[in-house]
Amino acid sequence: MRLLFLGDMVGKTGRTAVWDRLPGLISDLKLDFVVVNGENAAGGFGITEDIFLETINAGADVVTTGNHVWDQKEAVAFAGRHDQFLRPANYPQGTPGRGSGLFYARNGARVLVANVMGRVFMHPELDDPFKSAEVILAACPLKEQADAIIFDFHAEATSEKQCFGHFVDGRASFVVGTHTHVPTADAQILNGGTAYLSDAGMCGDYDSSLGMDKEEPLNRFISKMPKGRMEAANGPATICGVGVEISDRTGLAEKIAPLRLGPRLAETVPEFWR
């Protein structure tokens, strides 16, 4: 199975770049399943229902989120209406929406996708992500109820992300980190067969500070005083993500490599898809 994960869409430039490029990527690379993190898609803060639906219409099978999931008030209302919209699974019981779901890939495979949020340097501090993952895996084990299992681990600390990867190694197909908006160079397959990447990066303008117009964050670092609101940068976007090939026999990863398309970072498409 060919899986593509795209990192956090930031603002209009990030989301429109994904919408423009994703249909062609699905066709050209013969992708079976696509997950996109959308938690910064609405001006850099949260996501609206229209943006979610447009992302699904562009070809995403699931849209994950993170700590900004409720920044747009309407998300509380629409989260429960769409199975393909995931918020972190380790929110307390009774939170609107869902944190995981079982979906069907284009090749007919059953794909469990789970969105979990870390707790180190993160706000709000949610329930234990490791215990949440254990519950999810126990309810839908790999190669029993699911042919592939994907975790979007939305977290700040790379140590926490790496430990989470080792925790589910051999029981999940792929663990990808989101939240920091900077792509890491540690794409690998762990000892038990789980593909891992600390952060997929973002889909947005890299002439920025994490996708935001750089003047205001730079001012705050220098003066310690806000001058205005943080605004999403609106220059040309670079799409960042990662491609994974998953064995139909074992449900574990066989190949992993980054995907980057755009003007700022060196362009790369997974060699095994060329």
Side-chain angles (χ1 to χ4, degrees):
M1 183 175 75
R2 291 185 169 192
L3 161 74
L4 177 66
F5 183 96
L6 296 181
D8 313 40
M9 295 188 295
V10 182
K12 182 177 181 180
T13 188
R15 67 181 188 252
T16 54
V18 170
W19 298 344
D20 289 345
R21 297 296 296 268
L22 186 53
L25 289 172
I26 292 170
S27 175
D28 295 344
L29 302 179
K30 298 179 174 58
L31 300 176
D32 296 306
F33 201 79
V34 177
V35 181
V36 179
N37 186 292
E39 72 142 13
N40 301 116
F45 300 96
I47 184 169
T48 65
E49 187 170 23
D50 285 346
I51 292 172
F52 162 74
L53 291 172
E54 193 70 31
T55 306
I56 294 297
N57 289 338
D61 295 286
V62 178
V63 174
T64 55
T65 56
N67 59 303
H68 288 291
V69 60
W70 310 124
D71 283 7
Q72 301 295 321
K73 291 182 180 179
E74 66 180 85
V76 176
F78 79 75
R81 291 200 292 264
H82 302 289
D83 290 346
Q84 293 163 284
F85 180 80
L86 299 183
R87 45 82 174 160
N90 49 331
Y91 265 98
Q93 188 173 3
T95 303
R98 60 198 306 213
S100 63
L102 191 65
F103 307 94
Y104 284 93
R106 292 168 185 81
N107 66 347
R110 301 163 300 171
V111 183
L112 175 67
V113 183
N115 194 182
V116 181
M117 196 165 105
R119 299 200 292 185
V120 178
F121 308 129
M122 295 293 286
H123 179 79
E125 186 173 311
L126 302 184
D127 297 339
D128 185 340
F130 295 86
K131 288 183 179 178
S132 295
E134 196 67 67
V135 170
I136 291 167
L137 291 170
C140 193
L142 185 64
K143 296 312 294 179
E144 293 183 24
Q145 277 78 39
D147 299 305
I149 297 177
I150 302 159
F151 279 95
D152 174 348
F153 192 71
H154 196 80
E156 182 76 30
T158 50
S159 58
E160 188 180 23
K161 292 178 178 182
Q162 289 177 340
C163 284
F164 185 85
H166 293 304
F167 180 69
V168 301
D169 186 21
R171 300 188 291 163
S173 311
F174 177 38
V175 173
V176 59
T178 55
H179 178 67
T180 66
H181 294 196
V182 177
T184 55
D186 60 336
Q188 60 183 294
I189 297 177
L190 303 177
N191 292 338
T194 297
Y196 174 84
L197 180 67
S198 288
D199 205 284
M202 69 172 180
C203 299
D205 179 5
Y206 275 82
D207 184 16
S208 67
S209 174
L210 306 182
M212 308 306 287
D213 185 277
K214 57 195 173 190
E215 295 307 319
E216 180 58 19
L218 181 59
N219 161 69
R220 294 187 188 188
F221 278 116
I222 294 170
S223 71
K224 310 303 179 185
M225 294 288 292
K227 285 185 179 178
R229 295 179 58 213
M230 294 280 197
E231 302 281 352
N234 58 12
T238 296
I239 293 174
C240 280
V242 56
V244 179
E245 285 206 359
I246 297 170
S247 168
D248 295 333
R249 181 178 62 85
T250 66
L252 297 172
E254 296 181 327
K255 300 173 184 177
I256 180 173
L259 178 142
R260 295 173 195 146
L261 300 170
R264 280 276 163 178
L265 307 182
E267 290 205 350
T268 178
V269 174
E271 191 66 33
F272 45 84
W273 287 348
R274 291 184 183 276

